[in-house]
């Protein structure tokens, strides 16, 4: 099962290597890890997608909390807004372009680059929608993909600082 | 104006550091220069790893972080094993390493090593200091982090140009501000109540003490709880020394090398109260069967330890001493205690076999040696069969301190750690017990002891084998004894003579008492070689 963990961390040199080292060392299965600054410039927010059971995700939370640089850890269990940004470059000769434009329109993706033999598409959506989008592109040759990893916030008044 | 290295020394003085164990090199020369005339005493070791072990022994006796120092590159990498040893046993250390000049960082220059990166899995926290202005804050935080919560080693890596940089003034901070680090000390009152209630209902509650009881000085509280409620106590290897062997409800060490009465008490227990122990594999080989047999309460200052190795129904995060005091304020004694009926069936007294002629029974030796030691003696055991002979057979008195590398099992620990222990309290008798394998890993530190005027009593059990490996090969590898012979070892009498240390070889059990008398009563360093049968077993 996939769990979403959000962590606020001090914006220190070495914090990312400490945390990624911790995951590797303890054998935690991490699907994705996204980091960025928050409303407080001294603090970054990490969104970690963990694949595992309740024991494993509990261990991830505890080991994260143990880190000196980690200020707050929360397992996002309620209803959350999740987003991931994907860039995908596909082979697209002129005759195929129309079909691809249809897919982008239906899925809410955007065409961000076009060359004689390729198209680059952008989509920002829920992780499951992104998987659907990628499956729709399977008939075309995917040349490369870049994804940001999932970021998430709880819906409603809840924040990581307050339950 | 004041230089970075002068600030470093002032930080150490502000922390009340009395001793730094170190080994100089080019990138720590500014600090060495600033140490001249300081109240901080420098003890030169003969290899950097031993500076870490000496600081470890010092910390465990003094109850404050031990400080060690090494130069960049190999000096720093040599420290790693000592950091890992301290990390596994939760010993507070502050390790200072020199680093190449900041403008050369990352260019693989002479004696450059990414030590903060390399030591990351073995440190509680680490710093690479980029500016001399940061030094006071970094040192204040390092000592705070090392000594609070679950103690551990903190590394401060300082490029040589930062040590040489000039700063306007020195001001040591009074407080630390770490947003992500606020250790819990007091146990959650609701959980303490739950534990008290579970203890009242239990018929065979059992206390299992680990190193955390010693780190938090909770020995008195454990004894008080045991006496008041008639609850027996078992300990892990790291918990040896916490409870005097004379305590009638102390059953001894559990685990692979534990007492049978302690191991047999575990499944009899319907409520196991683990205090400051992490339930490592050597202590409990099958935690899942333990979970099925009894309810488990776990008291630990590190929340990440609770539920890691064993499922827990009553977790209590906090300082062991504080929580036990909270517990002692409640009505927590079992209404119906079944131990008085059970204990007589479990009791088992160790029996010492007569050794073959020409050998000493090492178990009997440890028993007699520790019986003769003063109340407050410090006994440092190395790693190998000697560690098990020591932990299993030693007599623990009210203020005995037992030190050993429990988690990491680092051979060569005893002599440097004993040196550190003796420097922490020169009034206490200090014994370092090694095998001939572990002795040869750090016998070079005898010179450090002599140079520093540290009086150690060194016991070397010799069987010209790596005894524990020989035992494993005998029992689990079809008796193929390979790579575990120590042929080629020196004559330890001549070696001691070369160091100017009076020594004696004991091989006749009839001379044991007289040899012990001489060994313990004579002043200064002494070495006693104890001839052991290579066939001798750990238990």
């Amino acid at each position: 099962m996939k769990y979403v963990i959000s962590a606020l961390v001090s914006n220190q040199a070495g914090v990312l290597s400490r945390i990624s080292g911790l995951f590797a060392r303890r054998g935690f299965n991490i699907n994705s890890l996204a980091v960025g600054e928050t409303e407080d410039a001294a603090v970054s927010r990490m969104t970690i997608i963990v694949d595992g059971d309740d024991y494993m995700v509990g261990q991830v939370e505890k080991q994260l909390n143990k880190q000196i640089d980690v200020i707050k850890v929360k397992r996002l269990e309620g209803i959350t807004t999740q987003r991931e940004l994907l860039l995908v470059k596909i082979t697209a000769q002129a005759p195929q372009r129309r079909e691809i434009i249809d897919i982008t329109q239906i899925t809410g993706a955007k065409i961000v680059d076009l060359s004689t033999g390729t198209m680059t598409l952008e989509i920002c959506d829920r992780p499951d929608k992104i998987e659907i989008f990628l499956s729709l592109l399977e008939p075309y040759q995917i040349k490369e993909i870049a994804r940001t990893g999932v970021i998430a916030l709880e819906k409603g008044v809840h924040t990581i600082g307050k339950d | 104006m004041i230089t970075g290295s002068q600030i470093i020394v002032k930080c150490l003085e502000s922390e009340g550091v009395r001793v730094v164990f170190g080994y100089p090199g080019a990138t720590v020369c500014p600090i060495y220069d600033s140490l001249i005339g300081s109240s901080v005493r420098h003890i030169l070791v003969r290899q950097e790893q031993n500076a870490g072990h000496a600081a470890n022994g010092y910390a465990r006796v003094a109850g404050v972080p031990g400080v060690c120092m090494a130069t960049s590159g190999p000096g720093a990498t040599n420290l790693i094993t000592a950091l890992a040893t301290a990390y596994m046993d939760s010993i507070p250390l502050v390790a200072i390493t020199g680093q190449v000049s900041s403008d050369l960082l990352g260019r693989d220059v002479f004696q450059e090593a990414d030590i903060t990166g390399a030591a990351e899995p073995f440190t509680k926290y680490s710093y690479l200091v980029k500016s001399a202005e940061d030094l006071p804050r970094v040192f204040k935080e390092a000592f705070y982090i090392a000594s609070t919560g679950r103690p551990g080693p903190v590394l401060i890596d300082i490029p040589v140009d930062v040590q040489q940089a000039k700063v306007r003034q020195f001001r040591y901070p009074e407080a630390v501000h770490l947003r992500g680090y606020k250790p819990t000390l007091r146990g959650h009152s609701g959980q303490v109540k739950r534990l008290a209630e579970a203890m009242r209902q239990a018929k065979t509650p059992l206390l299992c003490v680990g190193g955390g009881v010693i780190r938090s000085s909770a020995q008195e509280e454990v004894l008080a709880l045991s006496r008041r409620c008639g609850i027996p106590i078992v300990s892990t290897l790291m918990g040896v020394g916490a409870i005097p062997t004379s305590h009638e409800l102390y059953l001894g060490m559990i685990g692979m090398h534990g007492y049978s009465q302690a191991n047999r008490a575990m499944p009899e227990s319907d409520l196991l109260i683990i205090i400051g122990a992490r339930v490592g594999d050597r202590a409990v080989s099958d935690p899942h069967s333990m979970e099925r047999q009894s309810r488990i309460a776990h008291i630990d200052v590190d929340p990440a330890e609770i539920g890691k190795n064993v499922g827990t129904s009553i977790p209590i995060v906090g300082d062991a001493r504080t929580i036990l005091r909270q517990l002692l304020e409640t009505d927590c004694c079992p209404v119906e205690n079944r131990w008085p009926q059970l204990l007589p069936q479990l009791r088992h007294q160790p029996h010492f076999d007569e050794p073959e002629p020409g050998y000493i029974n090492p178990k009997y030796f440890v028993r007699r040696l520790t019986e003769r030691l003063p109340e407050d003696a410090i006994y440092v055991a190395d790693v190998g069969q000697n560690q098990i002979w020591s932990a299993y057979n030693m007599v623990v008195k009210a203020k005995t301190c037992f030190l050993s590398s429990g988690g990491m099992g680092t051979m060569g620990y005893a002599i440097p750690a004993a040196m550190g222990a003796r420097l922490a309290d020169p009034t206490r008798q200090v014994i370092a017990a090694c095998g001939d394998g572990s002795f040869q890993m750090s016998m070079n530190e005898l010179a450090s002891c002599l140079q520093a005027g540290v009086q150690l009593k060194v016991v070397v059990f010799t069987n010209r084998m790596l005894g524990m490996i020989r035992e494993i090969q005998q029992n689990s590898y079809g008796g193929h004894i390979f790579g575990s012979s120590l042929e080629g070892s020196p004559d330890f009498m001549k070696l001691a003579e070369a160091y100017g240390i009076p020594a004696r070889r004991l091989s006749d059990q009839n001379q044991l008492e007289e040899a012990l008398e001489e060994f313990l009563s004579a002043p200064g360093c002494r070495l006693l070689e104890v001839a052991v049968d290579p066939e001798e077993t750990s238990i």
Side-chain angles (χ1 to χ4, degrees):
Chain A
M1 185 170 162
K2 281 184 183 168
Y3 295 85
V4 183
I5 294 175
S6 271
L8 297 182
V9 303
S10 289
N11 221 342
Q12 302 266 7
V15 60
L16 187 59
S17 104
R18 275 202 183 93
I19 287 173
S20 54
L22 164 77
F23 290 154
R25 210 159 51 236
R26 302 247 173 214
F28 297 148
N29 244 331
I30 300 302
N31 275 130
S32 77
L33 171 67
V35 200
E37 244 181 47
T38 63
E39 67 281 5
D40 178 347
V43 174
S44 289
R45 185 179 179 118
M46 287 189 176
T47 308
I48 304 148
I49 310 295
V50 186
D51 204 355
D53 54 16
D54 195 55
Y55 168 80
M56 162 94 90
V57 74
Q59 285 296 304
V60 172
E61 282 179 279
K62 283 179 174 178
Q63 292 295 338
L64 277 174
N65 262 317
K66 194 170 160 173
Q67 294 286 319
I68 310 282
D69 289 327
V70 174
I71 299 162
K72 177 89 188 180
V73 178
K74 192 172 186 184
R75 193 191 303 193
L76 304 188
E77 286 183 306
I79 309 164
T80 54
T81 303
Q82 298 186 15
R83 287 293 178 273
E84 183 171 15
L85 176 66
L86 166 94
L87 293 175
V88 56
K89 186 180 287 185
I90 53 175
T91 308
Q93 304 303 336
Q96 297 166 311
R97 281 192 195 143
R98 190 62 249 171
E99 291 167 33
I100 294 167
I101 291 166
D102 284 346
I103 293 173
T104 57
Q105 278 173 350
I106 293 162
T107 55
K110 278 195 276 186
I111 298 160
V112 290
D113 185 51
L114 184 64
S115 73
T116 44
T118 66
M119 284 172 96
T120 302
L121 312 178
E122 170 200 306
I123 185 167
C124 177
D125 212 325
R126 293 180 352 217
D128 57 327
K129 292 279 188 69
I130 291 195
E131 294 307 323
I132 293 169
F133 177 67
L134 277 174
S135 66
L136 292 172
L137 294 180
E138 260 168 27
Y140 312 95
Q141 197 196 342
I142 295 176
K143 293 174 79 72
E144 61 179 338
I145 283 178
R147 321 173 57 151
T148 57
V150 179
I151 55 169
L153 288 181
E154 288 168 284
K155 289 202 174 177
V157 293
H158 303 298
T159 63
I160 187 166
K162 292 213 172 77
D163 291 322
Chain B
M1 296 295 261
I2 177 168
T3 65
S5 63
Q6 288 168 331
I7 289 179
I8 292 165
V9 173
K10 279 188 177 293
C11 288
L12 296 176
E13 289 169 350
S14 304
E15 284 292 337
V17 173
R18 291 194 293 122
V19 184
V20 170
F21 301 92
Y23 204 105
T27 61
V28 281
C29 273
I31 305 176
Y32 272 76
D33 196 55
S34 299
L35 274 172
I36 299 170
S38 162
S39 61
V40 180
R41 185 178 174 198
H42 175 261
I43 303 291
L44 179 75
V45 293
R46 294 303 188 266
Q47 204 258 27
E48 291 86 349
Q49 182 186 134
N50 298 323
H53 293 328
N56 180 315
Y58 183 94
R60 290 171 81 161
V61 171
V64 295
V67 182
C68 55
M69 182 157 64
T71 194
S72 61
T77 53
N78 273 348
L79 260 186
I80 292 177
T81 300
L83 292 173
T85 304
Y87 188 67
M88 283 285 262
D89 290 344
S90 312
I91 311 299
L93 291 194
V94 172
I96 301 165
T97 50
Q99 182 54 278
V100 301
S101 192
S102 348
D103 55 321
L104 298 174
L105 269 176
R107 300 195 195 177
D108 299 327
V109 297
F110 179 67
Q111 291 195 333
E112 178 181 358
D114 169 17
I115 192 62
T116 50
E120 204 274 317
F122 314 114
T123 48
K124 188 171 171 187
Y125 199 59
S126 60
Y127 295 89
L128 171 54
V129 184
K130 295 283 179 63
S131 156
E133 310 264 356
D134 294 338
L135 285 165
R137 175 186 60 81
V138 165
F139 272 81
K140 181 76 187 177
E141 287 179 5
F143 276 87
Y144 178 73
I145 291 170
S147 58
T148 53
R150 179 180 185 174
V154 176
L155 172 69
I156 309 176
D157 194 28
I158 313 170
V160 66
D161 59 314
V162 173
Q163 299 170 33
Q164 289 160 332
K166 288 200 164 92
V167 177
R168 199 167 301 243
Q169 57 165 358
F170 168 75
R171 202 181 63 80
Y172 201 59
E174 279 174 13
V176 293
H177 304 284
L178 291 159
R179 291 175 71 177
Y181 181 67
K182 295 190 174 61
T184 306
L185 294 182
R186 222 183 135 69
H188 186 279
S189 58
Q191 291 296 84
V192 174
K193 267 188 209 146
R194 275 186 67 206
L195 175 55
E197 184 52 33
M199 286 169 71
R200 276 170 54 77
Q201 300 302 325
K203 294 183 171 60
T204 48
L206 182 63
L207 298 168
C208 174
V209 302
V213 166
I214 297 168
R215 286 290 87 64
S216 73
S217 308
Q219 294 97 322
E220 286 301 318
E221 285 74 10
V222 172
L223 275 175
L225 188 64
S226 167
R227 288 205 179 103
R228 185 200 288 180
C229 302
I231 303 178
I233 307 170
V234 296
S235 87
T236 66
L237 179 80
M238 287 302 292
V240 171
I243 307 298
T245 30
S246 62
H247 176 52
E248 59 284 2
L249 290 169
Y250 181 56
L251 303 176
M253 183 170 75
I254 53 164
M256 183 170 155
H257 295 114
Y259 264 64
S260 68
Q261 61 181 21
N263 284 332
R264 281 159 59 202
M266 297 278 278
E268 296 290 343
S269 161
D270 59 357
L271 174 67
L272 183 64
I273 304 156
I274 302 166
I275 311 167
R278 62 189 171 85
V279 203
D281 58 317
R282 287 284 160 124
V284 176
S285 57
D286 185 6
H288 299 299
S289 75
M290 200 167 88
E291 288 163 17
R292 285 191 297 273
Q293 281 155 0
S294 57
R295 283 187 86 182
I296 292 169
H298 195 167
I299 298 170
D300 207 294
V301 74
D302 180 1
E305 281 306 335
I306 295 176
K308 185 177 87 178
N309 293 336
V310 64
T312 303
S313 53
I314 309 172
I316 312 182
V317 175
D319 172 65
R321 186 185 197 179
T322 311
I323 292 170
L324 288 171
R325 285 186 173 179
Q326 287 173 260
L327 196 60
L328 283 164
E329 284 166 14
T330 65
D331 178 14
C332 59
C333 290
V335 179
E336 184 197 337
N337 189 338
R338 288 192 54 231
W339 284 118
Q341 293 91 58
L342 282 168
L343 279 180
Q345 302 160 30
L346 296 174
R347 290 284 184 203
H348 163 82
Q349 285 304 319
H351 157 79
F352 301 106
D353 292 328
E354 274 298 310
E356 294 290 313
Y359 294 121
I360 303 294
N361 179 335
K363 301 157 188 173
Y364 180 67
F365 176 87
V366 168
R367 174 59 55 96
R368 286 300 300 138
L369 166 67
T370 49
E371 273 172 348
R372 280 172 166 269
L373 288 177
E375 279 277 297
D376 66 347
I378 299 164
Y379 187 108
V380 190
D382 222 302
V383 169
Q385 284 184 315
N386 68 85
Q387 184 184 44
I388 307 307
W389 295 333
S390 297
Y392 192 99
N393 297 293
M394 75 180 290
V395 172
V396 175
K397 298 181 183 175
K399 291 175 183 158
T400 302
C401 182
F402 173 73
L403 309 182
S404 198
S405 166
M408 200 68 189
T410 307
M411 284 174 73
Y413 172 83
I415 293 174
M419 175 174 77
R422 174 81 184 189
L423 280 160
D425 190 348
T427 67
R428 293 169 80 172
Q429 172 89 274
V430 182
I431 306 288
C434 318
D436 39 4
S438 52
F439 177 71
Q440 289 184 75
M441 281 204 183
S442 58
M443 63 188 187
N444 48 352
E445 297 305 331
L446 291 175
S448 314
C449 292
L450 293 167
Q451 187 178 16
V454 171
Q455 300 186 10
L456 282 195
K457 305 288 178 198
V458 181
V459 174
V460 189
F461 295 105
T462 55
N463 51 14
R464 300 185 82 75
M465 295 295 289
L466 293 171
M468 189 169 270
I469 301 307
R470 192 210 65 88
E471 198 176 0
I472 293 171
Q473 291 175 335
Q474 187 72 50
N475 297 335
S476 309
Y477 292 88
H480 308 307
I481 309 299
F482 182 77
S484 50
S485 156
L486 287 171
E487 285 309 319
S489 297
D491 177 331
F492 295 119
M493 295 303 98
K494 285 187 180 159
L495 184 88
E497 195 190 338
Y499 281 106
I501 296 174
R504 172 173 179 166
R505 185 170 197 274
L506 175 65
S507 59
D508 178 356
Q509 194 134 317
N510 293 319
Q511 291 173 6
L512 190 143
E513 297 299 329
E514 179 239 320
L516 280 175
E517 179 65 32
E518 181 194 47
F519 179 62
L520 295 173
S521 59
C525 281
R526 282 197 101 80
L527 187 144
L528 182 61
E529 178 180 348
V530 179
V532 176
D533 188 339
E535 305 281 318
E536 188 66 60
T537 54
S538 294
I539 296 294

